[in-house]
Amino acid sequence: MTQTESQPTHLPRTLTRDLAAHDGQQVRLQGFVHARRDLGGVQFVVLRDVSGLTQCVGSGLTLPLAESSVEVVGTVKAHPKAPGGFEVQIQNFRVISAAVEPAPVEIPKMEWNVNPETMLDYRVVTVRGLKERAALKVQAELVAAFRDHLAEEGFTEISTPKIVSAGAEGGANLFPIDYFGHPAYLAQSPQLYKQIMVGVFERVFEVAPVYRAEEHATSRHLNEYLSLDVEMGFIEDEDDVMALENRLLAAIMERLKARCAPEFALLGATLPEVPAHIPRITLLDARALVTEKYGHAVGGKDLDPEAERLLCQHYAETEGSDFVFVTKYPRAARPFYAHPDANADGTPSQELTRGFDLLFRGIEITSGGQRIHDHAMLMDSIAAYKLNPESLAGYTEVFKYGMPPHGGFAIGAERLTAKLLGIANVRYARAFPRDRHRLTP
């Protein structure tokens, strides 16, 4: 007869992933009641901890509600039908913190019978699900790989203000706030500050949220997302920036392959191979290609979502690449700080910039390029974009003092995570998403 213990034991805690090393031994597990069954005197508890699931079997137990946190002391036995091939025969069972009511969603079953909005309404609980947790684990490793690789290449991590007096990219997609009686905004990008910091460290990066007051209601947009920003000085042109991102993505995928294989298997996702040289195509040629090959007329100044999908399809079929750089964006589709491309005679182009986007599996995941570093050219560009130079004085001042040629890019962490894992809606690649309709939880 299994006894319920009221006091904790002093065995060291064992995680589910380490059970194989303790076959036949007594262990102490702690975690959550993932699922439970009572078969007339024999109780089964599936315990979930940070490393996975363990089936625990005992008798004479009073089982708490699912999601209660519990402690199990028992003996590890090999069992071919148990998760991970081992189960724990319970000797002592202790409820650490009991759930006071049933969870609003059955975590083991929610993927096939829960409305997507319900999953977000009860996110404080549903985020405990195995697949939801797997996506966030992949994103955490992705961000760690981003940091580690850039540090290896001589980059310094910085932290820039998220309350600003003006937008980095202009336009109306800013969240206004009252800053002690003065108008201010939530930062839509660290762009202007990371350029300034190139004058300090030459190579910088930041991992931080950004805010876009865009009234999108699509599967690819968030109003708050995690931006992975990079800026580097003393470049020749935008090719140096694209080469850096090429190396960075290869390092990220290697890290995910080494550390997140179980998560990719759980989600049925496949890691992409990053080519040694990601294909490149100019925006003008890309628009022509999708029109001529697929009959899709591209509207606007950029590529629309269908054109992005078709262009990626083309490169997947013809070159086996899930990635493609789209280059030479027109000034009308780029912010004021984008460096103009050079005409054949070496003079600055009035039409094209050295800006690029990176597409991955049918969607843009990066925007980047070379920036203007010459003070006079920058002031001319601000005037051409009809921006107020006084509101940008704190930024433009540094360009009077010898800023080197520089460029960079930004990756949306949630969007990249979603495309890597086949998650249809980017909101499920963030623990607590913010979109135009959601401020809670």
Side-chain angles (χ1 to χ4, degrees), residues 55-58 72-77 87-92:
Q55 178 174 284
C56 304
V57 183
V72 170
V73 176
T75 303
V76 179
K77 296 293 184 182
E87 71 176 14
V88 172
Q89 296 177 345
I90 301 172
Q91 295 161 348
N92 290 296

Side-chain angles (χ1 to χ4, degrees), residues 116-127 222-224 427-428 430-441:
E117 292 303 319
T118 300
M119 289 180 66
L120 295 178
D121 290 342
Y122 296 105
R123 191 67 166 164
V124 294
V125 175
T126 61
V127 76
L222 290 167
N223 295 104
E224 176 189 62
R427 293 184 296 171
Y428 307 124
R430 188 169 178 86
F432 303 104
R434 292 292 176 260
D435 56 38
R436 60 178 295 191
H437 300 298
R438 187 169 295 280
L439 272 174
T440 60

Side-chain angles (χ1 to χ4, degrees), residues 27 33 65 75 80 84 153 195 197 222 247 263 278 297 305-306 310 326 352 354 358-359 404 406-407:
V27 296
V33 176
L65 294 172
T75 303
E153 292 218 20
Q195 286 184 257
M197 294 303 290
L222 290 167
R247 297 191 300 273
E263 286 76 18
I278 293 174
E306 179 64 7
L310 292 171
V326 181
L352 299 178
R354 293 177 179 174
L358 177 64
L359 308 186
H406 62 280

Side-chain angles (χ1 to χ4, degrees), residues 344-367:
D345 61 2
T347 58
S349 170
Q350 297 301 307
E351 303 296 331
L352 299 178
T353 71
R354 293 177 179 174
F356 64 81
D357 280 355
L358 177 64
L359 308 186
F360 170 57
R361 291 180 177 171
I363 195 171
E364 172 208 325
I365 59 165
T366 290
S367 183

Side-chain angles (χ1 to χ4, degrees), residues 16-24 46 51-57 75-89:
T16 287
R17 66 181 174 219
D18 299 324
L19 287 181
H22 296 276
D23 189 13
V46 178
S51 66
L53 302 178
T54 301
Q55 178 174 284
C56 304
V57 183
T75 303
V76 179
K77 296 293 184 182
H79 193 295
K81 294 185 178 180
F86 292 88
E87 71 176 14
V88 172
Q89 296 177 345

Side-chain angles (χ1 to χ4, degrees), residues 250-262 264 271-273:
I252 288 173
M253 299 311 153
E254 282 301 310
R255 168 102 166 216
L256 296 183
K257 182 179 180 180
R259 301 200 181 190
C260 294
F264 275 83
L271 269 167
E273 295 291 333

Side-chain angles (χ1 to χ4, degrees), residues 50-356:
V50 69
S51 66
L53 302 178
T54 301
Q55 178 174 284
C56 304
V57 183
S59 60
L61 301 177
T62 300
L63 297 180
L65 294 172
E67 295 308 310
S68 296
S69 57
V70 298
E71 178 179 272
V72 170
V73 176
T75 303
V76 179
K77 296 293 184 182
H79 193 295
K81 294 185 178 180
F86 292 88
E87 71 176 14
V88 172
Q89 296 177 345
I90 301 172
Q91 295 161 348
N92 290 296
F93 182 88
R94 182 171 70 94
V95 177
I96 298 172
S97 179
V100 298
E101 62 181 45
V105 174
E106 290 187 72
I107 300 297
K109 300 180 181 179
M110 66 182 181
E111 66 178 310
W112 62 80
N113 67 358
V114 175
N115 181 292
E117 292 303 319
T118 300
M119 289 180 66
L120 295 178
D121 290 342
Y122 296 105
R123 191 67 166 164
V124 294
V125 175
T126 61
V127 76
R128 296 181 179 187
L130 296 179
K131 291 188 175 182
E132 285 66 30
R133 188 173 72 180
L136 298 179
K137 169 67 184 305
V138 168
Q139 188 173 115
E141 289 292 346
L142 187 159
V143 172
F146 175 84
R147 281 191 164 106
D148 288 351
H149 180 79
L150 291 174
E152 289 175 4
E153 292 218 20
F155 284 74
T156 300
E157 184 167 7
I158 60 172
S159 180
T160 64
K162 297 298 167 268
I163 300 175
V164 296
S165 62
E169 299 177 5
N173 62 342
L174 289 161
F175 284 110
I177 61 173
D178 177 16
Y179 192 69
F180 303 106
H182 298 282
Y185 307 93
L186 295 179
Q188 62 185 179
S189 167
Q191 181 60 45
L192 307 187
Y193 289 101
K194 66 176 183 172
Q195 286 184 257
I196 292 170
M197 294 303 290
V198 164
V200 180
F201 293 116
E202 299 181 11
R203 295 183 163 208
V204 297
F205 71 91
E206 182 173 33
V207 178
V210 297
Y211 305 89
R212 303 293 177 99
E214 299 167 335
E215 294 194 11
H216 295 298
T218 76
S219 61
R220 55 194 280 167
H221 289 97
L222 290 167
N223 295 104
E224 176 189 62
Y225 65 90
L226 188 65
S227 186
L228 311 180
D229 275 89
V230 177
E231 204 75 16
M232 60 190 298
F234 295 100
I235 64 172
E236 293 297 324
D237 53 33
E238 74 274 27
D239 285 348
D240 288 347
V241 182
M242 288 187 280
L244 168 68
E245 185 167 17
N246 208 144
R247 297 191 300 273
L248 174 62
L249 287 168
I252 288 173
M253 299 311 153
E254 282 301 310
R255 168 102 166 216
L256 296 183
K257 182 179 180 180
R259 301 200 181 190
C260 294
E263 286 76 18
F264 275 83
L266 177 65
L267 294 163
T270 303
L271 269 167
E273 295 291 333
V274 180
H277 184 82
I278 293 174
R280 302 176 185 182
I281 185 172
T282 68
L283 177 63
L284 186 63
D285 288 344
R287 290 168 66 96
L289 187 154
V290 297
T291 299
E292 294 168 7
K293 182 172 181 177
Y294 299 103
H296 176 70
V298 186
K301 302 175 293 233
D302 202 339
L303 296 176
D304 57 36
E306 179 64 7
E308 290 180 348
R309 187 188 70 79
L310 292 171
L311 187 64
C312 286
Q313 178 181 325
H314 167 78
Y315 279 97
E317 292 172 347
T318 60
E319 299 194 29
S321 175
D322 286 331
F323 299 90
V324 56
F325 280 115
V326 181
T327 66
K328 309 301 181 187
Y329 271 75
R331 292 190 69 186
R334 278 299 190 256
F336 71 92
Y337 50 77
H339 198 291
D341 197 24
N343 293 318
D345 61 2
T347 58
S349 170
Q350 297 301 307
E351 303 296 331
L352 299 178
T353 71
R354 293 177 179 174
F356 64 81

